[in-house]
Amino acid sequence: MAKTLIQKLSILADAAKYDASCASSGTSKRHSLGTGGIGSTEGMGICHAYAPDGRCISLLKILLTNFCIFDCRYCINRSSSNVERARFTPDEVVRLVLDFYKRNYIEGLFLSSGIIRSPDYTMEQLTEVARCLREDHGFRGYIHLKTIAEADPELIEQAGRYADRLSVNIELPSETSLRQYAPEKTETTIRKAMADVRARIDTFEGERAEKRRKAQPKRFAPGGQSTQMIVGADTTTDVGIIRKSADLYASYRLKRVYFSAYSPIPDASSALPPVKPPLMREHRLYQADWMVRFYGFDAEEVAGATKDGMLDLDIDPKLAWALANRALFPLDVNRADRETLLRVPGLGPKSVDRIIAARRHGRLRLDGLSSIVRSMKPVLPFVTAADYSPGRTLDAADLRARFAPPPKQGELFA
Amino acid sequence: MIEIPLASETDFEGWRAAARSLCLTGAAPADVVWRTPSAPASLLAGAPPPEAPAGKIRASNRFIDMARKAAHHRDPERFARLYALVVKLQDRPHLLDDPTDADAVWLARVNKAIGRDLHKMHAFVRFKAAGLSETGRERFAAWFEPEHRIVQLAAPFFMRRFTGMDWVIVTPDGTARWDGEALRFGPPGTRSDVPAEDAVEDQWKTYFQSIFNPARLKVSAMTAEMPKKYWKNLPEAALIPQMIASAEARARGMQEAAPSQPNPLASTLAARRPGDRAGPTLETLDDVRRAAARCQRCPLHACASQTVFGEGPADARLMIVGEQPGDREDIEGRPFVGPAGQMLDRSLEAAGLDRSAAYLTNAVKHFKYERRGKRRIHQRPTSGEIDHCRWWLDLERDLVDPEVTIALGASAARGLFGKSVKVSELRGEILDLNGKPALITVHPSYLLRLPDPARRAEEEARFVDDLTKARALLAA
């Protein structure tokens, strides 16, 4: 029996929910005032709703189809899964995007797909949706397309003309894990796909930097490329994951590496343990990633403050790093430079900028600092101010314990 | 006491004009009452403002932008505090950065509140279809209750985004309307001014329910970003309690369900996939290129993007062998396209050699690097890696069978001769490589690394000389 649009939507959104990518930020700014069409991007993405899993809904995230010729063990859509299958026509996706967008439900589309027939055929279908939105409907909103590894680079080229962002998922942090869980995928094909995207982004950015050019450079994925890694399905440690991300950032200039805690799926493969998704681990990895991308830490510094290769689940990795490097503290908030202040737990780029701006009004005291900083608790042991010194706090053996949640009481009387 | 009447609750321009004159007359903030239409008239009628002398007051663009936003905040003291700030700014231009000044801290705080409210309005307005206009344009309407009086601040965003449709946003403080021509503001409205239903809402609710993963329940993370006060105007929010209540049972269900029998489709598909890994033939250069693309003879393949195989005519008379692909070559999949490749191109041209007629390849076919921060730094291949990769280089040499070969640098020489040679000793000499002439010179990246310009020019000239020798061999 033919499925209704709503039935397909329910199947194909469910099939897409394991992909962590959600951001709609970082692309070129544009609007529809000139074109009289629909859509804009303001540089920063907007989360239009939140699901009870705490994740933002910014894009219509769906698969074109959940039929797939691949048999990746961790994936709900693998060919050996008994999940119900459905397939949208490109026109149906276009209609959903426009209908949702005009009601201000979404920022745009994140379109992925199971691999049907061949990587090339699948990539063509994905690109057709983006083409139709842009060319036939003048859509100026955000479009993120999943790049099918092994698809012809010509098709990637076309996809990048319409999409804001392209992504290909690395999925697992090592070649060994891929071989074990995703027999049809190899890291080489994935890296090759990422390289193809980077090569074209480099060309686009290079042309844009050439100020003397008369012609506007041909737009190519102005929002860059990203990837996703599944955490907790295999035995790779956090250090392994941090190093792998650093390698991917350096190799392919990725805008983001998304981490997705391996989540039990309906009709799970027997090759995977039915575990609770390691959400805290995922959160700590994002914090570690943040340190590298925004706070000027090198991946190896973050890795250095781990234990047995794993991030501390009880305290955030920046605090863990500071505790492991106490000799560098306390820092004088009235004298330390920006780069150094960013290493203080509890201080982010915004508060550091405000601290530096406040210095011209005289020496910063504790009350001034507390009006700038969101929470003083993590900051206090690591700084000095005009009227404050942490004394011997930094040497305290129980410093970590002051931040960690209280140890769980064993059930003595149970 | 001076009393300043303002035209509306958000009359920033009225405040601005009055504040400018007052400041020039030196009026103390404590002596000014700012009266908006909603404020009760004071019992004692205030005096009108005195005539202002000519002059300028200091107010940075940053302050004006922040003050404009603050005027839309519901704080009843907003205009008085803004005026106090204007007066203080005359002596202390950097006041806004002072974390000890209560008015500056207030301004930062209300701006943050307005920014957040605007962001939430951009996110949580939900349009409902309201038929077609007389000119055939689609019409939409939304009811929204922002925390502050921000409808005028928020409207331009909706105009830029929804240019192609007619829309109205109704709020308890006023309405904003767009008809494709102009943005217009009107009086407050009520929820009943907006259609109650929209046909697409059911699809949206289906999407909202389906994209939620019950195994990841994190309710506080949701409510931190989507506070409950907004829920009543979000069609999907009505589903949330039920989604939360059933999440645990659904997640447990998934965990407890025994794995089912694999769908037989999988084995059919697996059987259909070509067994392309079995015994490749290596009779032509293209065969070898295809086989090399899957090479895993040494660990270098694991971090490289692709095998960078040789390039050029299969019957080239000249073969040029480099060391190893670099970052650029790894990304593009072609040899000698990075800085060293460009250096080589210039030198080949200077020596009168045609790059497109030569076969260019490397001793090692995978990029080897060390990551440093956000860069990949090239690392020299070991002799072991070069020796592994000779398998491919030998095949290329056999198939191309060049008359003359140039080795660029020590790694290339090792790849060709199978043993370590000192480039400094043999540079420019014509050696025998299986009965054919071969010539060793430096790698162009060596030239790029020379810091002294004079030395570099000298070395470049020597490099061109070496290449010219190869040209002479070809002509002979």
Side-chain angles (χ1 to χ4, degrees):
Chain A
M1 197 183 70
K3 292 189 173 73
T4 65
L5 188 65
I6 281 210
Q7 285 169 328
K8 291 185 189 179
L9 181 60
S10 136
I11 294 168
L12 293 168
D14 191 287
K17 72 187 175 195
Y18 303 97
D19 199 304
S21 326
C22 73
S24 53
S25 49
T27 191
S28 55
K29 285 191 185 183
R30 56 179 188 265
H31 55 73
S32 42
L33 270 181
T35 62
I38 290 290
S40 64
T41 51
E42 304 253 324
M44 207 173 70
I46 299 176
C47 302
H48 287 265
Y50 291 82
D53 49 24
R55 295 197 287 187
C56 118
I57 299 174
S58 148
L59 303 169
L60 171 61
K61 180 157 63 172
I62 44 171
L63 300 193
L64 194 58
T65 175
N66 65 340
F67 287 100
C68 190
I69 58 176
F70 281 15
D71 199 30
C72 308
R73 306 253 194 283
Y74 52 79
C75 182
I76 174 74
N77 306 311
R78 68 190 187 284
S79 55
S80 61
S81 158
N82 292 299
V83 75
E84 190 176 9
R85 311 276 173 173
R87 180 174 176 181
F88 279 130
T89 65
D91 278 349
E92 285 171 326
V93 176
V94 167
R95 208 172 88 211
L96 277 172
V97 172
L98 294 173
D99 279 349
F100 283 6
Y101 198 89
K102 286 176 183 172
R103 283 155 185 80
N104 202 38
Y105 297 159
I106 52 169
E107 288 289 284
L109 172 67
F110 172 60
L111 187 62
S112 177
S113 181
I115 295 170
I116 36 170
R117 287 198 222 172
S118 71
D120 281 356
Y121 176 79
T122 310
M123 197 67 225
E124 274 171 26
Q125 296 281 302
L126 293 173
T127 307
E128 171 56 17
V129 172
R131 188 210 60 77
C132 179
L133 277 167
R134 292 276 193 245
E135 291 189 349
D136 302 348
H137 297 278
F139 179 67
R140 311 270 283 159
Y142 190 89
I143 299 179
H144 176 160
L145 291 183
K146 188 61 68 183
T147 305
I148 307 297
E150 287 183 275
D152 189 319
E154 266 309 300
L155 293 167
I156 307 295
E157 171 85 24
Q158 282 175 33
R161 298 271 169 249
Y162 301 116
D164 288 285
R165 175 170 284 185
L166 297 175
S167 65
V168 51
N169 285 352
I170 191 91
E171 304 290 17
L172 293 163
S174 79
E175 179 78 38
T176 324
S177 308
L178 271 177
R179 208 171 297 138
Q180 192 178 352
Y181 295 108
E184 291 97 346
K185 287 188 178 160
T186 67
E187 196 172 314
T188 310
T189 48
I190 295 166
R191 296 184 78 109
K192 167 79 165 75
M194 288 180 174
D196 286 345
V197 174
R198 185 192 135 185
R200 282 162 179 79
I201 291 177
D202 285 354
T203 310
F204 166 66
E205 308 235 307
E207 286 176 3
R208 209 167 46 172
E210 253 181 75
K211 293 261 159 56
R212 283 166 300 167
R213 264 176 76 92
K214 285 195 191 112
Q216 187 82 346
K218 264 198 193 165
R219 182 191 133 99
F220 188 90
Q225 68 167 328
S226 62
T227 193
Q228 165 177 285
M229 217 183 282
I230 297 168
V231 174
D234 66 347
T235 55
T236 313
T237 61
D238 289 344
V239 167
I241 289 169
I242 290 166
R243 289 204 173 117
K244 173 61 77 176
S245 326
D247 176 49
L248 293 174
Y249 282 125
S251 299
Y252 308 112
R253 315 260 188 277
L254 299 182
K255 286 283 168 73
R256 282 290 296 273
V257 175
Y258 288 95
F259 304 110
S260 174
Y262 173 69
S263 166
I265 48 177
D267 198 32
S269 155
S270 54
L272 282 163
V275 286
K276 281 202 164 180
L279 297 182
M280 184 50 85
R281 188 177 170 203
E282 176 192 281
H283 178 59
R284 294 289 181 233
L285 281 165
Y286 275 123
Q287 289 176 316
D289 189 54
W290 199 266
M291 287 167 75
V292 173
R293 290 194 301 140
F294 299 110
Y295 294 171
F297 286 83
D298 186 80
E300 293 312 315
E301 291 182 283
V302 181
T306 54
K307 200 175 159 219
D308 300 330
M310 299 303 276
L311 293 165
D312 193 329
L313 290 182
D314 291 336
I315 58 173
D316 77 71
K318 197 172 159 193
L319 180 59
W321 177 86
L323 289 171
N325 293 279
R326 295 182 204 203
L328 304 173
F329 298 99
L331 289 172
D332 185 346
V333 293
N334 286 299
R335 292 174 58 186
D337 60 19
R338 187 172 191 280
E339 202 176 310
T340 322
L341 281 174
L342 273 173
R343 302 210 154 206
V344 175
L347 296 187
K350 272 191 183 165
S351 38
V352 168
D353 288 343
R354 288 190 61 200
I355 286 172
I356 290 168
R359 287 179 190 168
R360 55 170 120 193
H361 295 276
R363 307 241 306 141
L364 204 58
R365 303 165 71 85
L366 211 52
D367 60 344
L369 190 61
S370 65
S371 80
I372 289 173
V373 177
R374 193 153 42 142
S375 161
M376 290 291 278
K377 193 185 166 190
V379 181
L380 279 177
F382 300 99
V383 296
T384 61
D387 59 345
Y388 170 78
S389 151
R392 301 187 59 83
T393 320
L394 267 175
D395 303 327
D398 68 338
L399 194 52
R400 179 185 171 281
R402 293 187 205 177
F403 294 102
K408 289 213 179 71
Q409 180 77 43
E411 290 185 53
L412 271 182
F413 306 102
Chain B
M1 189 65 71
I2 303 163
E3 187 170 290
I4 307 290
L6 293 169
S8 73
E9 296 303 316
T10 56
D11 182 13
F12 175 72
E13 293 306 326
W15 169 86
R16 189 179 180 178
R20 186 189 286 127
S21 328
L22 286 168
C23 191
L24 287 169
T25 61
D31 294 336
V32 184
V33 174
W34 300 88
R35 196 159 60 76
T36 58
S38 74
S42 56
L43 293 174
L44 305 167
E51 199 69 23
K56 278 194 163 180
I57 64 159
R58 303 170 71 161
S60 61
N61 287 339
R62 177 179 166 213
F63 172 73
I64 296 295
D65 287 346
M66 291 179 85
R68 189 190 311 274
K69 281 190 180 159
H72 296 260
H73 196 274
R74 286 200 201 275
D75 185 340
E77 295 299 313
R78 62 196 175 282
F79 290 114
R81 294 199 92 140
L82 288 175
Y83 181 60
L85 275 164
V86 171
V87 172
K88 282 195 242 178
L89 277 170
Q90 303 315 305
D91 303 326
R92 298 172 56 198
H94 298 295
L95 176 74
L96 296 187
D97 292 324
D98 185 349
T100 61
D101 183 274
D103 288 316
V105 171
W106 168 84
L107 185 64
R109 188 169 52 76
V110 299
N111 261 264
K112 207 170 170 189
I114 293 290
R116 185 174 162 83
D117 205 26
L118 276 172
H119 187 74
K120 294 300 179 198
M121 181 159 173
H122 294 161
F124 297 148
V125 156
R126 296 282 183 263
F127 283 115
K128 290 167 197 273
L132 295 179
S133 74
E134 286 155 14
T135 55
R137 282 162 62 87
E138 281 182 291
R139 295 173 62 220
F140 289 87
W143 163 250
F144 194 72
E145 297 164 78
E147 197 170 330
H148 301 286
R149 301 180 182 95
I150 55 168
V151 68
Q152 285 166 307
L153 293 177
F157 163 83
F158 291 99
M159 175 183 71
R160 291 191 297 273
R161 174 158 294 192
F162 301 106
T163 314
M165 62 196 215
D166 286 3
W167 52 261
V168 58
I169 300 173
V170 185
T171 81
D173 305 301
T175 58
R177 190 179 294 276
W178 168 256
D179 57 7
E181 300 288 325
L183 201 53
R184 294 189 175 84
F185 297 101
T190 63
R191 184 193 300 267
S192 59
D193 297 335
V194 167
E197 297 282 312
D198 184 295
V200 172
E201 259 173 36
D202 282 343
Q203 289 169 14
W204 173 241
K205 288 178 182 169
T206 301
Y207 175 65
F208 185 74
Q209 279 180 298
S210 309
I211 203 70
F212 162 60
N213 182 352
R216 297 181 55 109
L217 197 63
K218 263 185 174 176
V219 179
S220 58
M222 170 184 67
T223 45
E225 301 292 345
M226 194 169 69
K228 285 194 175 165
K229 66 181 175 196
Y230 295 109
W231 288 20
K232 59 177 186 277
N233 295 318
L234 298 172
E236 65 275 16
L239 303 166
I240 292 173
Q242 170 61 23
M243 287 162 74
I244 294 173
S246 61
E248 209 188 314
R250 285 178 64 196
R252 205 175 332 111
M254 285 191 284
Q255 287 175 31
E256 284 167 3
S260 57
Q261 284 304 308
N263 191 319
L265 177 71
S267 38
T268 318
L269 286 170
R272 214 189 288 165
R273 281 181 77 78
D276 52 6
R277 269 150 236 257
T281 53
L282 298 172
E283 277 157 24
T284 68
L285 207 51
D286 280 339
D287 290 343
V288 178
R289 182 190 309 276
R290 266 194 297 277
R294 289 198 299 268
C295 176
Q296 300 190 348
R297 294 172 67 87
C298 77
L300 288 187
H301 77 275
C303 293
S305 300
Q306 52 196 318
T307 303
V308 180
F309 200 68
E311 186 182 271
D315 56 355
R317 296 174 63 219
L318 173 65
M319 185 166 187
I320 301 174
V321 182
E323 184 193 66
Q324 190 177 32
D327 180 81
R328 198 69 236 160
E329 286 79 11
D330 173 75
I331 295 300
E332 291 194 26
R334 295 180 51 206
F336 291 105
V337 290
Q342 286 155 16
M343 173 87 232
L344 177 66
D345 286 354
R346 284 197 297 276
S347 308
L348 285 173
E349 209 187 317
L353 285 163
D354 177 8
R355 169 169 170 157
S356 65
Y359 186 89
L360 276 72
T361 191
N362 283 303
V364 173
K365 311 284 192 248
H366 280 125
F367 179 35
K368 180 183 181 187
Y369 61 91
E370 183 193 359
R371 179 183 54 75
R372 247 180 255 154
K374 291 190 175 137
R375 307 211 149 272
R376 301 193 291 182
I377 308 296
H378 163 273
Q379 271 196 315
R380 232 162 204 252
T382 63
S383 335
E385 285 153 356
I386 297 170
D387 295 345
H388 270 301
C389 225
R390 277 192 79 190
W391 159 258
W392 300 114
L393 185 60
D394 284 351
L395 280 168
E396 282 174 299
R397 275 179 48 214
D398 286 350
L399 289 162
V400 176
D401 194 22
E403 285 163 37
V404 178
T405 305
I406 303 174
L408 303 175
S411 301
R414 184 174 177 103
L416 285 170
F417 293 96
K419 59 178 192 216
S420 290
V421 275
K422 272 217 162 88
V423 175
S424 52
E425 284 170 13
L426 294 173
R427 177 170 180 182
E429 283 185 34
I430 292 148
L431 308 166
D432 176 81
L433 181 63
N434 301 15
K436 297 273 181 69
L439 191 136
I440 300 180
T441 182
V442 294
H443 194 279
S445 61
Y446 158 76
L447 303 172
L448 290 174
R449 281 197 296 266
L450 290 172
D452 174 24
R455 175 84 203 285
R456 185 161 153 180
E458 192 184 307
E459 281 290 318
E460 275 182 38
R462 249 186 101 189
F463 184 58
V464 173
D465 281 350
D466 292 341
L467 296 179
T468 312
K469 278 186 197 156
R471 184 177 158 213
L473 286 171
L474 284 171

